[in-house]
């Protein structure tokens, strides 16, 4: 424990699911965490779980003014920033033949543009030893039937880490991708039902979906000095789904 003692972290998409699980783990490891999300009700509920070492800021990663407010709040209260977990993401299914421009714009505005500006706007607060973690997906490697825009956006996120590792040479700031597979978030469990969860779990050699806390644990590893010689890497936390 205390691998992140005294660190300040931002977690986008931090009110639910993987983001909330990561925020809990970061705090357990000693960090002070700002969670960021679009729904105030969900942020309030998350804050009730996270306690005094967390703050919530409402906004969208696709809105640059909202992101400016987020980092202004971090600067006022903490001064600097050590960890950015660019986790906010979106994407629903549309089969080839049904894809619309609006669907592509919505997916890429959040998953690609949102990730870019989440990181770019954080950099003035970061310094040597900083860690940037991007949420990818097994779908960015394998593809996923009916998820053209989502899979392509997550493949783009994987490349952002490779490009930014070059751009950040000499700064001491690392950037890596955490790529989950099917994860049993509350939203996923509601959408899939018991049989759907079994079906997704059966696709992995471990024969189950991930618990969000398992993804959060790997996020904490990538945020900590235990991963100090890792940058431009992708860590697959997918039960083997995209590895076989």
């Amino acid at each position: 424990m205390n691998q992140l003692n005294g660190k300040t972290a931002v977690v986008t998409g931090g009110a639910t699911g993987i983001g909330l699980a990561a925020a809990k783990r970061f705090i357990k490891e000693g960090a002070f965490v700002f969670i960021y999300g679009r729904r105030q009700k969900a942020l309030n509920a998350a804050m009730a779980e996270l306690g005094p070492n967390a703050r919530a800021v409402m906004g969208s990663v696709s809105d640059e003014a909202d992101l400016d407010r987020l980092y202004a709040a971090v600067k006022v209260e903490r001064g600097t920033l050590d960890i950015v977990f660019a986790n906010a993401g979106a994407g629903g299914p549309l089969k080839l033949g049904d894809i619309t421009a609006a669907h592509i714009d919505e997916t890429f505005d959040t998953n690609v543009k949102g990730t870019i500006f989440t990181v770019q706007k954080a950099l003035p607060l970061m310094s040597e030893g900083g860690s940037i973690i991007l949420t990818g997906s097994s779908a960015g490697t394998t593809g996923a039937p009916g998820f053209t825009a989502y899979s392509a956006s997550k493949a783009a996120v994987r490349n952002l880490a490779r490009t930014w590792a070059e751009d950040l040479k000499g700064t001491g700031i690392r950037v890596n991708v955490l790529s989950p597979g099917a994860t049993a978030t509350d939203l996923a469990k509601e959408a899939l039902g018991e049989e759907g969860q079994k079906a997704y779990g059966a696709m992995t050699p471990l024969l189950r979906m991930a618990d969000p806390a398992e993804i959060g644990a790997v996020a904490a590893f990538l945020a900590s000095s235990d991963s100090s010689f890792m940058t431009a890497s992708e860590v697959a936390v997918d039960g083997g789904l995209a590895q076989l």
Side-chain angles (χ1 to χ4, degrees), residues 43-69:
L43 290 169
N44 292 344
M47 286 297 296
E49 293 188 55
L50 295 175
N53 289 325
R55 299 289 183 269
V57 178
M58 188 176 73
S60 170
V61 295
S62 61
D63 188 316
E64 291 187 60
D66 284 354
L67 286 169
D68 288 338
R69 286 192 301 101

Side-chain angles (χ1 to χ4, degrees), residues 17-18 21 182-185 189 208-217 237:
I18 289 170
T183 304
T185 62
K189 288 189 286 187
R208 64 178 179 85
M209 294 173 68
D211 186 287
E214 294 176 298
I215 313 300
V237 193

Side-chain angles (χ1 to χ4, degrees), residues 182 188-189 191-203 208-209:
K189 288 189 286 187
L192 294 173
E194 187 174 342
E195 290 306 311
Q197 291 176 67
K198 288 179 181 178
Y200 270 88
M203 297 177 186
R208 64 178 179 85
M209 294 173 68

Side-chain angles (χ1 to χ4, degrees), residues 117-151:
F117 286 112
T118 294
V119 172
Q120 181 168 283
K121 289 176 178 292
L123 289 177
L125 297 176
M126 301 186 76
S127 59
E128 186 172 357
S131 176
I132 298 165
I133 306 158
L134 314 179
T135 295
S137 171
S138 58
T141 299
T142 64
F147 283 85
T148 293
Y150 179 78
S151 298

Side-chain angles (χ1 to χ4, degrees), residues 103-114 148-150 152-153 156:
H103 174 71
I104 294 170
D105 288 345
E106 180 181 6
T107 305
F108 274 74
D109 277 356
T110 299
N111 296 357
V112 181
K113 187 179 85 172
T148 293
Y150 179 78
S153 72

